[in-house]
Amino acid sequence: MDKKIESILILGGGPSDFGHESEQDAAAFQAFDIYKKMGINIYLIDNNPFSIMLEKISKENLFIKPINTSNVENIIENNQIDAITAVFGGKTALKVLGRLIKKDIIKNNNIKLLGLDDNSVELMNNNFKLRQTLIDQNVHIITSNFVSNYEEALSISNKIGFPVSVKSIDAKVKINRVICKNVDELIDAVDDGLDKSNVNKVSIEKDIVGYKEIETVTIRDKNGNKNLISSLENMNPVGINSTDSVVFSPVQTLTDSQYQTMRNISFKVIEILRIKGVCHIQFSLNVETDEIFVLKINPYFNMSTALSSNSNGYPLEYVASYLLLNYEIDKIELPNNYNKNTALLEPISDHITVRIPIWPFDEFPKINRKLSTKIKTIGSAIGIGRTPEAALMKALRSSESSPKDIFPDYSDLTEDEIVSELIHPTNLQILIIFEAVRRKYPLSDLTEITKMNIFYFKIISNIVDGINEIRKNKLNDNSIRLAHKLGLGDSILSEIWKIDVNKIKDISNTINNHLTYKMIEPSAGEFDSQINSFYSSYESFNESKKEQGKSVLIIGKGKNNLGPNVASDIYTSEMSIRLHELGFKTIILNNNPNSVSLSPLISDKQYIEPIQISDILDIINNENPKYVFIPGNRHYLINSLNNNSKINSIILPPNQKESVIYSEKGDFALDYLVIDSKIIPITSVGFGSESNNNSKNIEYLTDYYVPFNNNHNYDLDKLSFKAKTLIKKENIKGLIQVIFEYSNGNPKIASIRPLRITETIFLNYITNINWINVLIDISINQLDIDQLLNKINEINNSELIKMEGIFPFKSLDLTDNVLPTRSKEIGAKLSIKKSPNK
Amino acid sequence: MKKRYLILEDGTSFEGVSFGSDATKTGELIITSNINGYQETITNPIYHNQIVAFSQSSIGNIGINRKNYESIFSSIQGVVVNEYTDISINHLKKLSLGTFLKQREIPGIEGIDTRQLMKHINKNGVMKASIVDVNDEHAFNQLNATVLNNQQIQTVAINKPYLIPGSGKTIIVLDFGLKEGILRQLSKRNCNIVVLPWNSAYQDIINLDPEGIVLSTGPGNPLEVNEEVLKTIKLIQTKIPLFAMGLGHELFALANGAEIIKLGIGHHGSNHPIKKIITNQIIYANQSQDFAVKNNSTDLKNLITTHIDLINGTVQGLRHREYPAFTVQFSPDGAAGPNDSADIFDEFLESINSKRGQ
Amino acid sequence: MSKVVIDSMAMQRALTRITYEIIERNKGINNLVLVGIKTRGVYLAKRIQNRLEQLENTSVPIVELDVTKYRDDNKDKEKTNNQVAFSENNIDINNQNIVLIDDVLYTGRTVRAALGAINELGRPNRISLAVLIDRGHRELPIRADFVGKNIPSSQKEKIQVLVNEIDGKDVVEIE
């Protein structure tokens, strides 16, 4: 019998980056919760400061280090590790694990691999071997064939069928793949390719641009039992990175036999890899022949697995955590609120989820906005609706905070511009399609141009027609019904009709057109369960009963973008956890599928809805919360909320408008907690900058380190006295940062500001005090100040801790003239050194 | 945008909008939760005389396709959906789900909260329903007075034999209202298929000297099927390897002394885990089931229970202890639904080989 | 080049069918004893035993048999004489129905050796033979009662049965 696993080392996901937000952190957090209850000792290596795990795991078990072979090896040598897993860390973690296996570190330390065995780790790290294995097992993949003359090229092309794509190997100049539809084109392409190749070789592949791109998420237990958890369909065909495409789940335009083939291949692949746990697979489908090719296999938690569990309510992270530990799928006991059979049921939905990508292009006016196979998306938002129209509209509404911005005016675009945008899509693609449909382009032409399924144009045309109706029939009962069916929301109606949102809600109620919340659960209504996740529709039965007792609504950040978004999400989650501890029923509104804050462990109830004023009012109406908490500075939202409801809203951290600013510059800072008449010093912080442009404008200061490296031996006590005096004078409260700049060699106060979200989380780590909890406690008058003071006294600055911003410029091909600023951060990394000062 | 109603036997009424035909029709209401394959579902003769509701929210997205028929005719009484999408992608771009239904005088109704409907039926049991223009007392009276036809098999099954030539084994399929998927699976395995009417006599079957016999799926109540059929099954199972599905499975069970019950809540979908007892494997398959073999009613001396639904505990497969005869409740051919168990057709053909080898 | 003649699914199916056929022909599982011929026959026997247990909730006894010393081509009689043939010597096979299980039936000499071994242990009611592959070329008048698959092969070819328990995969290959 196997030795019982008593400790597990989790390889984390690292800083957030393209294609990676908090989804792995969220999955790891659920697994951590389960394993902890089993009495398993969990170790984590990660250097992402914005991680819920960092806060929850004990310091002794946490290794703030980059995930690389030597760091992990070191942890293994110095700790009792029974098992290790890369499924919460993705590709990098798998690579590291592969190297550890090769070096026999895993074997010599008698460590078990969870999820993937050494053979499958090897396959995942060795593309050539993986491809060979798949071919051997009759799984279709797109193979590259290397040829060095025309005859071979022709013979290969005839075998795989035209069109083919030809690419020069080790080319002397940068050239693209050439698509050849016939022999003539092949001759030219091969001649040219061989000519430009340093090694006289070209590669020939089946051309799959234009094939439908589809995805599945499957699970498997140690006995080989499998379950298809969800299917995803990209609106864009192959050629655009799937993260950059609008995605529908479940698939909408597949025939049953295509769907079943995809399901069978998914099962075959997960069986070949003998995965215990979860696997996400991407495919291309030739709709003419029904042939399906495997494009990519991701045997770990990622954004698609997160989308799955958020969209259909299957407890994927929970179940997979057990599967990793060799549980059989029929032996997994779910939490009480689930129907007991849920783990075994193949999930089905009676709603549709649409994921919409968010691009960071507004920050970079000169960027190349064209979408390609290279990922440019920085975040995403989902909309869940009963109809595809509603799901799409809600996703669009979730992608913009103001209803005004959802349908910008493109009427000035010429026909040529429209067609060109359709052929070479950019981030504006979906809006351009709306414009094309508005201009009555035949839907079949649009299909022809874009290679997208006609279904998408059909539903967009339904929305466009609907909006025209609504415009024509102002305040009409049917218009309101139609708008609700299409997922337009009262905010858009209010915008179209220039009428107050509440007025529309009143009419809607009088015509018996009530908002209903439907449970996001995986049996399409077949079984009763009490899953706490909801979306809205306008139908006959509301399934979301008001939370009993005093409740709070916390308004999540929604879609990710550059800047402190991932941090905001952690901030939101911490708020919710604390409020729950304080006896509140916590309700979270969010629509970012990759967020930690939507995890069922974080709150008592989740609403996946657009974060627009009308949607918030609806939830307030249904729940009547005692407080509404708003993490972060969201002026538009806060203003409209204050205008529209008598609700008690609390904004944390306080508005930056409360800052007192003498100068925008800064070199170091002192952090304080100001409560009642007390001004409690916490720590000093040094600032640094990624760029060497010598600007000391705090916007450009993206590195923070603690303690401040006081090289010049300033009298910090004296500076602190000055700071305190000023704080008192300006009467600022809460978690405060007093920023100093060097002026003629002497530090002087530049500004006093509420501590920003990212730095608050950094401060949590530095001080081992959860400052978000402190702020929450203060906001509802429940702070135990003595206990806090004791903890502050225990702060130990023996280490030099650094948080550095990470920027997306290189990945976006932005090389020159972009300066790293706080608002352009994609993520951050933590590092620790033993302090040289002490 | 014609307003219409779906009314239920228990007095419940749902307002919706018409698509397809405007005919008024009545039938037993069933809800399928299959994610895909609405065309396969509405052309499956098993749903003869029933009104089919879909819990999947958007139906019609891929029009009607030449390859997705489970029978050329559709004899359902109505289609109930949350949202209908009017799309045709066939060769002439003329045949959407709506036109298909219209041509066959089948009413469709959209805008129904099918989730609420599912919950309602699961709570109150299977019942009759009508799709009507007005939901007045008269309509409900009409609905309640309607006695549903119990001649389903006679209506949908063939009454003349036909042959689908193949180079492999000669298999007789007794047609109780079969779906094409069964023939497709056998053809794929090169079988020489003879389709015979459901009430063919034992001697007529034996005279064709088949190597195996298949009892097809079909609509309706197995308890209303002629006693003669059970006798034929009982005789034939001793002579020829037998495989049966759906209604065929229920009849096989009856012929071997098991009891059949009508389920309070039928199950139509592919989401239930089915345990294959012999290997402890879990599979998923399309279930279209209003009847079931009563648990523990099988004579253990005769039959072995081979498959079981892990959700509702219903018997999903049987095998005779003495003869190579085995059956499943579900549709292993999928269409619509998973083909996790399609290799049961291989198992059947291999058992013929084995029998022949003796 | 080796060619897959039975994949894992087909192997599962064959064992499943053989299991049902054993029940059919034995009229149940009473008095049944499975004898697996080493090496791979033992694993196949165990799988059949598992299947029988799944279906009937009773564990059928299983005996492992090493036929080396009974083989007619055994040239080292001295050395093997003291080898234990059966994994289980206390089992009473008198009046039992034995199913002898092996992976490949070829010349029949292994089965003959097995019969010899069983003979020394007692007098069963009946002995039947189950094999995953019958490849023909018999040199003795021996015939299998339960066959997974007949693979008429040339004598030059090599048939290899791989089982998950020792080979990491279920497959039958021909070379």
Side-chain angles (χ1 to χ4, degrees), chain C residues 43-173:
Chain C
Y43 292 100
L44 300 179
K46 280 185 181 156
R47 293 204 202 171
I48 291 174
Q49 183 198 35
N50 274 338
R51 281 167 161 75
L52 287 168
E53 186 168 358
Q54 282 287 335
L55 290 172
E56 308 279 17
N57 280 323
T58 314
S59 187
V60 172
I62 193 167
V63 183
E64 299 177 17
L65 171 58
D66 184 343
V67 297
T68 320
K69 76 170 171 183
Y70 296 93
R71 291 192 67 95
D72 54 11
D73 54 358
N74 181 13
K75 298 204 175 80
D76 214 349
K77 293 242 155 102
E78 296 273 303
K79 212 167 158 190
T80 54
N81 217 11
N82 293 327
Q83 272 181 11
V84 186
F86 291 96
S87 61
E88 190 85 43
N89 274 320
N90 300 330
I91 201 151
D92 181 8
I93 59 161
N94 287 313
N95 298 319
Q96 299 293 301
N97 294 331
I98 287 184
V99 180
L100 195 57
I101 299 165
D102 202 2
D103 52 353
V104 182
L105 177 57
Y106 188 23
T107 59
R109 289 179 193 274
T110 307
V111 176
R112 192 213 58 81
L115 292 172
I118 292 170
N119 209 20
E120 283 184 11
L121 206 62
R123 187 184 178 282
N125 183 38
R126 188 172 56 169
I127 303 175
S128 41
L129 173 63
V131 295
L132 186 62
I133 304 292
D134 183 345
R135 58 173 299 191
H137 306 291
R138 215 78 77 239
E139 292 165 5
L140 295 170
I142 282 170
R143 178 175 185 276
D145 304 85
F146 308 98
V147 180
K149 192 171 184 178
N150 285 299
I151 300 177
S153 59
S154 129
Q155 270 170 303
K156 283 180 208 140
E157 288 169 320
K158 203 179 149 205
I159 289 187
Q160 215 177 3
V161 174
L162 302 180
V163 295
N164 207 0
E165 293 88 336
I166 36 179
D167 308 303
K169 58 181 174 180
D170 284 340
V171 72
V172 180
E173 291 171 341

Side-chain angles (χ1 to χ4, degrees), chain A residues 263-264 344 389 526 543, chain B residues 83 115 272 282 284 339-340:
Chain A
R263 183 174 177 279
N264 292 345
L344 276 168
E389 289 87 354
E526 185 178 344
E543 298 176 17
Chain B
E83 187 178 70
R115 178 176 175 81
H272 285 195
I282 294 167
Y284 298 84
N339 33 41
D340 293 8

Side-chain angles (χ1 to χ4, degrees), chain B residues 1-6 14-18 109-112:
Chain B
M1 289 268 286
K2 187 179 167 191
K3 200 188 267 185
R4 297 202 85 196
Y5 299 88
L6 171 73
F14 290 84
E15 185 186 314
V17 173
S18 168
I109 184 167
E110 66 162 325
I112 303 295

Side-chain angles (χ1 to χ4, degrees), chain B residues 272-321:
Chain B
H272 285 195
I274 298 166
K275 189 158 114 178
K276 200 169 161 186
I277 293 170
I278 192 165
T279 51
N280 225 355
Q281 277 170 300
I282 294 167
I283 55 163
Y284 298 84
N286 183 16
Q287 295 171 299
S288 321
Q289 183 178 9
D290 291 313
F291 295 88
V293 176
K294 192 175 169 193
N295 280 11
N296 306 324
S297 79
T298 49
D299 181 350
L300 296 177
K301 275 188 235 116
N302 270 341
L303 301 175
I304 307 173
T305 299
T306 58
H307 295 72
I308 198 144
D309 183 320
L310 288 177
I311 303 294
N312 57 24
T314 54
V315 173
Q316 292 292 321
L318 292 169
R319 185 172 182 116
H320 204 285
R321 279 189 174 276

Side-chain angles (χ1 to χ4, degrees), chain A residues 182-200:
Chain A
N182 52 47
V183 177
D184 289 344
E185 290 178 4
L186 186 71
I187 296 175
D188 292 347
V190 172
D191 279 354
D192 192 44
L194 291 176
D195 201 38
K196 295 207 169 95
S197 166
N198 280 320
V199 289
N200 194 40

Side-chain angles (χ1 to χ4, degrees), chain A residues 212 221 223-228 231 250-257 259-261 263-264 267 288-290 328-331 339-352 385-389 444 453-456 458-459 462 485-486 516 518-529 535 537 539-541 543, chain B residues 1 3 14-15 17 31-38 40 54-62 65 67-68 81-89 93 110-120 122-123 265-275 279-285 310-312 333-340:
Chain A
K212 198 174 276 189
D221 74 5
N223 291 343
N225 288 319
K226 305 168 198 78
N227 193 336
L228 179 68
S231 61
V251 293
Q252 293 297 310
T253 69
L254 258 55
T255 66
D256 185 59
S257 75
Y259 179 83
Q260 302 306 341
T261 309
R263 183 174 177 279
N264 292 345
F267 284 180
E288 306 293 328
T289 62
D290 287 359
E328 292 153 303
I329 190 165
D330 49 342
K331 305 272 159 57
N339 180 289
K340 66 176 176 16
N341 296 313
T342 302
L344 276 168
L345 283 172
E346 193 145 290
I348 44 175
S349 301
D350 49 14
H351 55 260
I352 291 170
R386 273 287 265 165
T387 63
E389 289 87 354
S444 50
N453 193 286
I454 192 162
F455 166 77
Y456 301 110
K458 184 77 193 175
I459 62 170
N462 288 344
K485 195 183 164 203
L486 295 174
T516 53
K518 300 283 182 184
M519 193 182 292
I520 300 170
E521 56 84 30
S523 78
E526 185 178 344
F527 299 105
D528 284 331
S529 46
Y535 73 97
S537 68
E539 288 176 297
S540 53
F541 189 79
E543 298 176 17
Chain B
M1 289 268 286
K3 200 188 267 185
F14 290 84
E15 185 186 314
V17 173
I31 305 178
T32 169
S33 61
N34 267 330
I35 291 186
N36 289 75
Y38 56 83
E40 286 88 340
F54 290 86
S55 61
Q56 163 82 329
S57 53
S58 177
I59 299 290
N61 302 2
I62 54 168
N65 291 287
K67 281 196 278 187
N68 302 347
V81 301
N82 178 260
E83 187 178 70
Y84 164 61
T85 308
D86 185 27
I87 283 177
S88 14
I89 53 164
K93 307 238 179 336
E110 66 162 325
I112 303 295
D113 185 347
T114 44
R115 178 176 175 81
Q116 194 50 32
L117 186 63
M118 168 80 105
K119 287 183 169 275
H120 186 80
N122 277 350
K123 201 168 144 204
I265 307 161
H267 181 248
H268 302 270
S270 309
N271 60 333
H272 285 195
I274 298 166
K275 189 158 114 178
T279 51
N280 225 355
Q281 277 170 300
I282 294 167
I283 55 163
Y284 298 84
L310 288 177
I311 303 294
N312 57 24
D333 57 301
N339 33 41
D340 293 8

Side-chain angles (χ1 to χ4, degrees), chain B residues 5 8 43 61 63 73 78-79 105 119 136 141 150 152 154 197 212 216 235 246-247 256 267 278 289 318-319 334 349:
Chain B
Y5 299 88
L8 310 186
T43 55
N61 302 2
F73 306 100
V79 174
E105 290 189 14
K119 287 183 169 275
D136 58 5
N141 287 341
N150 65 356
Q152 284 109 315
Q154 291 84 333
S216 83
L235 275 174
L247 182 64
N256 287 293
H267 181 248
I278 192 165
Q289 183 178 9
L318 292 169
R319 185 172 182 116
L349 297 178

